[in-house]
Amino acid sequence: MPQDLLVVRHDGVAMTAAWFLAVYAIYVMTLVIRRVRASDRDVGIGWWIGGALTVGTGIWAQSFISMLSRQLPIQVGYLPAIVLAAWLPAVLICAVLIWSVSRVHQPVFKRVLSGLLAALGFGFLTYLNVSAMVLQPEVAWDPAWLLVAFAVILVGNVLASVMLRRELLREAKFLNQAGVAVVLGSALHLAQLLMLESAGVQEGTVCLSAQQLSGTYLDWLVSLIGGILLMGVQLGTVLDTRLRRQHAQLVSSLQQAQTDLQVAAHRDALTGLLNRPGFEHHLREVIQSLDESGEAPAGRLAVMRINLDGFRALVNTYGHALGDNLLRQVAKRLLVLVRNTDAPARGDGEEFLLLLPNMPDQHAVAQLAYRIGLAVSQPCVINGEDVTITCSIGIALYPDSVTVEQLICHANEAMLAASKAGGGVYCLHEAGMDISGAKQVEMQRELRYAIQRGELALHFQPKLDAVRGGLVGVEALLRWTHPQRGPVSPAEFIPVAERFGLIGELGQWVMNEACRHMRLWLDAGLEIPVAVNMSAHQLREHDLESRIRETLARHALPADMLILEITESVAMDDIEASLKVFDMLDRIGVKLSIDDFGTGYSSLSYLRRLPARQLKIDRSFVRDLDHSADAQAIVEAVVRLSHALGMTVVAEGVETEAQRQVLVKLACDELQGFLFAKPMADSDLRTWMGSQTVPMAPLHLVPA
């Protein structure tokens, strides 16, 4: 220490109080910054101004206490005007810091500029406090100490700014905020001590303001005032945070309550399923998403309306409690059958609704309707009693029906048609249903009675060896003779059976009758294979394999005598599913034939993979054989392809001798058509066989 400077003593208690006040002021500033960021514009400005005033006062008090902690060996005092003037830069410094740090995404150059201004401001604050002592001669400043002090406060600003910005991006925690306060507060206090250390007072100096602001307990008074102000702001931030948290919780509770009310408004209280408004809302969203995507849906979208037949009569007889239990059990069975993406709902009264997005095809929808009908018809045990009920199901498909209203309305029309048909069936909506619906409903009812009354019969059309002319098999064709209307064309009743879900029952009846006739023929010494047409509905039945095996076993027939004909369009509709079904049928041992070949869109790679043994050329190609070179070229190509794949070729619809000669020339294996015989009953078939010069030909369904 140079000999011409006064020796300065330091009050440790005052220095500690100044350090604590600096740390506390910065800690409160971090709380204020969070309030500024969390509030809207007007409230945020209020927190910014109030925080700058209060925290600035704390910094001003801390700086003045640091000044008081340096005790000179002479009597000193401070000019109140200059001491009070030092309050303004402290407030401005805090305003700059709060404004700068509260904007996390502020450009780097602005943050650097804010840090430099804060460092200069802290230095100016200390200079004013020193200037409040009017000394004669004046204070001698040491530039080296000033530079070190400026570097300390600048480094402290940088570290605190980085720490505070990271802390603001996370949840508020006391330790994180306290760490920022300790770093910046300690840097601020140390820089002020260094600046005060650079202010040398020469021996013999006289304080001209000794009679101004002074006192033994002045440091305690200033500390108390600054601390109380900072504590008030801290309490305000705590209360504001708590109120905001409570407000957020209240808003969240109200939103959750609103969501629960919306969910409850779209749910049926009895079954827990969607109610009618909820179903329509969900259906509208699904259709809107399809329309906005502008792409064709991956599968079919279907809407079902399921009405419980005779439900009101049960309720009138046994009471509403039984009806409620029955509705709950039906709802549970629906949930078991549908997928997670499906939307079951309860409609009005005894009605259920079902939205089915991305169904593979129309046949899959029909299969599900069939399974729903079976599930609903299973007895329900209610109060120890078995209650049995059926349902009528109406189906509408998108985009055949485009809007929500159309889908629900058309499903309702189809459901009413199924109900008028006697119930217990499903019905697909078709265009013009309101015009022809009554006629089809009546035909459906009569067709169901036809199965029970024995009005159905099989006729058999022979298939002949193209070269030898002998019988190699027959095709079974379903015929219906109505008691009043006489013969009904299959072109009329087969579409009705498909639409009302009777095609599966008809197909099973045909298969059973075909096997029964083969058994009778075998017992008579006649080995005649029978070809039976399979519908798309039958191919989708989950128990198809067990049905075929059970039918063959019941009639004690070898499987290779049964030929199942599947049209090309059905086989290629869902090729992967068809491959699985074909492989399953091949394992049983039945023969597989692709019918109406040439009318679909077969891929040769898929055709090669199908385990079919026979291919039938569609009659449209056979009809033009005798005068069309193109038709002959097509048939020749089909025959060559089939033989290359190990399949026999059947030409159906042969009506002229010229057609027969062309087919024989093209190496077709089997012929079928009116030229040889029309479809006939069993007795007529036996008479026809007896009249043939070549009654039977060697069986060659699969070439050696």
Side-chain angles (χ1 to χ4, degrees):
M1 180 73 65
Q3 296 299 321
D4 57 347
L5 295 181
L6 293 176
V7 178
V8 179
R9 292 189 306 107
H10 297 86
D11 186 346
V13 175
M15 290 180 62
T16 303
W19 172 83
F20 177 78
L21 201 58
V23 172
Y24 189 32
I26 301 301
Y27 173 73
V28 172
M29 186 174 69
T30 63
L31 300 180
V32 171
I33 290 172
R34 280 192 172 272
R35 294 300 90 216
V36 173
R37 285 173 51 81
S39 305
D40 55 29
R41 181 178 179 274
D42 293 338
V43 177
I45 291 176
W47 273 109
W48 175 55
I49 295 174
L53 291 172
T54 309
V55 176
T57 301
I59 296 297
W60 166 81
Q62 178 271 336
S63 178
F64 190 60
I65 294 170
S66 296
M67 184 73 187
L68 294 175
S69 69
R70 299 180 77 252
Q71 298 178 353
L72 295 172
I74 62 174
Q75 185 178 1
V76 296
Y78 304 92
L79 291 177
I82 299 179
V83 171
L84 292 177
W87 174 82
L88 183 59
V91 171
L92 293 177
I93 293 166
C94 292
V96 170
L97 287 176
I98 294 173
W99 176 83
S100 174
V101 179
S102 62
R103 285 158 176 76
V104 177
H105 301 294
Q106 192 179 35
V108 177
F109 77 92
K110 288 187 177 182
R111 285 186 284 174
V112 173
L113 180 60
S114 300
L116 290 173
L117 290 176
L120 292 173
F122 284 130
F124 183 62
L125 171 63
T126 305
Y127 172 78
L128 286 178
N129 283 327
V130 173
S131 299
M133 290 187 306
V134 182
L135 300 177
Q136 186 66 37
E138 295 180 352
V139 172
W141 296 94
D142 187 341
W145 284 108
L146 288 175
L147 184 61
V148 172
F150 185 79
V152 169
I153 191 60
L154 192 60
V155 172
N157 271 338
V158 172
L159 290 177
S161 176
V162 173
M163 294 173 62
L164 186 56
R165 290 177 187 279
R166 289 182 178 178
E167 193 272 333
L168 288 174
L169 297 175
R170 296 177 294 185
E171 183 181 357
K173 291 184 179 180
F174 172 75
L175 292 179
N176 295 333
Q177 293 170 316
V180 174
V182 168
V183 171
L184 184 53
S186 298
L188 172 62
H189 183 60
L190 178 60
Q192 288 177 341
L193 293 179
L194 292 173
M195 288 188 68
L196 291 173
E197 192 67 28
S198 69
V201 181
Q202 300 177 10
E203 290 185 2
T205 297
V206 178
C207 180
L208 302 180
S209 57
Q211 302 304 317
Q212 299 294 320
L213 186 63
S214 64
T216 305
Y217 300 103
L218 185 59
D219 53 349
W220 289 100
L221 179 62
V222 174
S223 299
L224 184 61
I225 294 173
I228 290 175
L229 287 174
L230 292 173
M231 289 177 63
V233 174
Q234 181 184 5
L235 180 60
T237 60
V238 171
L239 291 177
D240 184 72
T241 302
R242 183 174 299 174
L243 288 174
R244 286 186 175 275
R245 185 180 298 115
Q246 292 176 350
H247 177 72
Q249 291 175 350
L250 179 60
V251 171
S252 177
S253 299
L254 290 175
Q255 291 176 342
Q256 184 62 44
Q258 185 178 10
T259 301
D260 293 341
L261 287 174
Q262 290 177 348
V263 171
H266 286 168
R267 286 286 171 183
D268 175 58
L270 180 64
T271 62
L273 303 178
L274 289 172
N275 57 18
R276 174 70 175 267
F279 179 84
E280 292 181 358
H281 177 74
H282 181 61
L283 176 58
R284 188 168 284 104
E285 287 183 339
V286 172
I287 293 179
Q288 184 177 357
S289 65
L290 291 176
D291 294 340
E292 290 176 353
S293 67
E295 300 177 357
R300 299 302 301 269
L301 183 148
V303 170
M304 288 187 186
R305 293 187 73 150
I306 306 166
N307 187 73
L308 302 183
D309 303 321
F311 177 81
R312 296 184 182 180
L314 280 174
V315 171
N316 292 335
T317 303
Y318 298 103
H320 289 281
L322 180 140
D324 291 345
N325 285 333
L326 183 59
L327 289 172
R328 279 192 289 264
Q329 292 202 28
V330 171
K332 291 179 181 178
R333 294 179 183 184
L334 279 179
L335 290 173
V336 171
L337 291 173
V338 301
R339 305 164 299 177
N340 293 334
T341 54
D342 301 335
R346 184 190 171 196
D348 303 323
E350 67 273 23
E351 182 182 277
F352 290 87
L353 296 163
L354 182 57
L355 171 60
L356 303 165
N358 297 324
M359 293 296 286
D361 51 35
Q362 176 178 315
H363 306 297
V365 178
Q367 275 294 309
L368 178 59
Y370 175 74
R371 293 199 300 273
I372 290 174
L374 285 180
V376 171
S377 65
Q378 297 301 311
C380 297
V381 180
I382 301 177
N383 298 330
E385 299 290 337
D386 284 349
V387 179
T388 302
I389 197 169
T390 59
C391 63
S392 300
I393 303 175
I395 304 170
L397 300 174
Y398 178 90
D400 301 338
S401 304
V402 180
T403 65
V404 172
E405 292 74 17
Q406 283 183 344
L407 281 165
I408 294 178
C409 180
H410 290 169
N412 184 63
E413 291 178 1
M415 182 269 289
L416 292 176
S419 182
K420 291 177 182 178
V425 296
Y426 64 83
C427 177
L428 289 163
H429 182 270
E430 292 181 353
M433 186 173 186
D434 52 342
I435 300 175
S436 60
K439 180 179 178 182
Q440 292 195 356
V441 165
E442 181 63 24
M443 178 174 288
Q444 183 272 155
R445 181 184 296 110
E446 293 178 344
L447 184 57
R448 285 208 287 177
Y449 292 146
I451 299 175
Q452 302 171 6
R453 296 171 180 173
E455 298 173 5
L456 301 178
L458 286 186
H459 282 197
F460 304 94
Q461 186 171 26
K463 294 190 292 184
L464 281 68
D465 184 283
V467 178
R468 302 184 183 183
L471 181 69
V472 294
V474 295
E475 179 181 0
L477 301 170
L478 181 60
R479 295 293 182 262
W480 177 20
T481 304
H482 192 275
Q484 285 78 38
R485 291 189 290 175
V488 182
S489 170
E492 293 184 46
F493 69 82
I494 292 297
V496 173
E498 291 178 340
R499 184 178 169 197
F500 285 90
L502 286 175
I503 193 66
E505 185 177 355
L506 281 182
Q508 182 60 33
W509 184 90
V510 170
M511 186 180 303
N512 184 71
E513 278 296 292
C515 291
R516 186 178 70 83
H517 279 86
M518 280 191 285
R519 181 71 262 170
L520 292 176
W521 294 335
L522 279 175
D523 293 342
L526 300 173
E527 185 178 351
I528 307 176
V530 178
V532 174
N533 290 284
M534 293 286 290
S535 68
H537 177 89
Q538 288 176 280
L539 289 179
R540 302 295 188 271
E541 289 177 336
H542 66 282
D543 58 347
L544 177 61
E545 180 178 4
S546 60
R547 286 190 181 191
I548 295 176
R549 290 186 183 276
E550 190 275 333
T551 303
L552 291 172
R554 187 185 332 125
H555 297 286
L557 284 176
D560 58 0
M561 288 192 65
L562 178 62
I563 305 172
L564 300 180
E565 293 188 355
I566 302 169
T567 61
E568 180 191 15
S569 58
V570 170
M572 296 300 160
D573 184 42
D574 185 349
I575 187 62
E576 295 300 329
S578 296
L579 287 172
K580 294 179 181 179
V581 174
F582 272 56
D583 289 338
M584 178 270 293
L585 296 175
D586 188 59
R587 289 194 301 270
I588 296 175
V590 297
K591 308 299 183 184
L592 300 177
S593 175
I594 299 178
D595 196 10
D596 297 339
F597 186 80
T599 60
Y601 303 94
S602 294
S603 167
L604 294 182
S605 62
Y606 287 133
L607 186 63
R608 179 179 57 84
R609 293 169 58 189
L610 293 175
R613 309 297 182 88
Q614 190 179 88
L615 188 147
K616 296 187 73 173
I617 302 175
D618 186 67
R619 64 181 67 247
S620 60
F621 297 106
V622 175
R623 183 173 54 247
D624 300 330
L625 273 180
D626 53 353
H627 59 272
S628 172
D630 291 341
Q632 293 182 18
I634 292 173
V635 171
E636 182 179 12
V638 170
V639 171
R640 290 179 178 274
L641 172 64
S642 301
H643 288 171
L645 296 176
M647 293 188 289
T648 60
V649 181
V650 180
E652 57 181 345
V654 183
E655 298 181 357
T656 66
E657 178 62 24
Q659 293 171 351
R660 186 192 71 81
Q661 291 179 4
V662 173
L663 289 167
V664 171
K665 179 181 178 181
L666 296 177
C668 186
D669 300 294
E670 300 176 12
L671 307 178
Q672 176 183 347
F674 286 178
L675 176 64
F676 312 107
K678 295 182 178 181
M680 61 191 81
D682 180 12
S683 57
D684 295 330
L685 176 65
R686 297 196 188 201
T687 301
W688 178 86
M689 290 174 59
S691 66
Q692 299 301 301
T693 56
V694 184
M696 292 292 292
L699 296 181
H700 58 285
L701 294 174
V702 183

